Amino acid sequence: AWDGAAWSDVGGGVTGSQGFAIVSSVQAYGDGLFVTGAFDAAGGVAAANLAWFDGAAWHALGDGLNDLAESLVVVDDVLFVGGPFTVAGGRPASGLAAWDFGN
């Protein structure tokens, strides 16, 4: 995050088991943000390629995604995720999935 004077990490950032991680999309929401890409953890919390930072801590979204995701958009209280993954939250999802966090 850039505060106008210096860079800082966001809650410890994301990490991958191969020694690197990729963030392919970021979507601001409220005081935090959603991130997707190719990673295993966010801020030390296990998170499979999809995570939410609430402004203070990282959270996994269920079982996450089985592969890279490339895009995010929030409509009302639903997060839509797109990319070449085939499983989201343990369910078949052919490249498009939704997470309803309003309920």
Side-chain angles (χ1 to χ4, degrees):
W2 177 255
D3 67 6
W7 286 100
S8 62
D9 77 350
V10 177
V14 297
T15 56
S17 62
Q18 302 298 319
F20 68 92
I22 298 168
V23 172
S24 56
S25 187
V26 176
Q27 173 67 52
Y29 181 77
D31 292 335
L33 51 90
F34 293 100
V35 298
T36 193
F39 52 86
D40 297 330
V45 174
N49 305 315
L50 178 63
W52 172 48
F53 184 71
D54 66 9
W58 285 99
H59 307 274
L61 278 73
D63 292 335
L65 308 171
N66 73 324
D67 201 347
L68 175 74
E70 298 170 333
S71 59
L72 300 169
V73 65
V74 175
V75 178
D76 297 322
D77 286 334
V78 179
L79 170 68
F80 292 92
V81 182
F85 57 88
T86 58
V87 177
R91 297 180 177 171
S94 185
L96 183 63
W99 178 274
D100 185 350
F101 52 92
N103 293 325

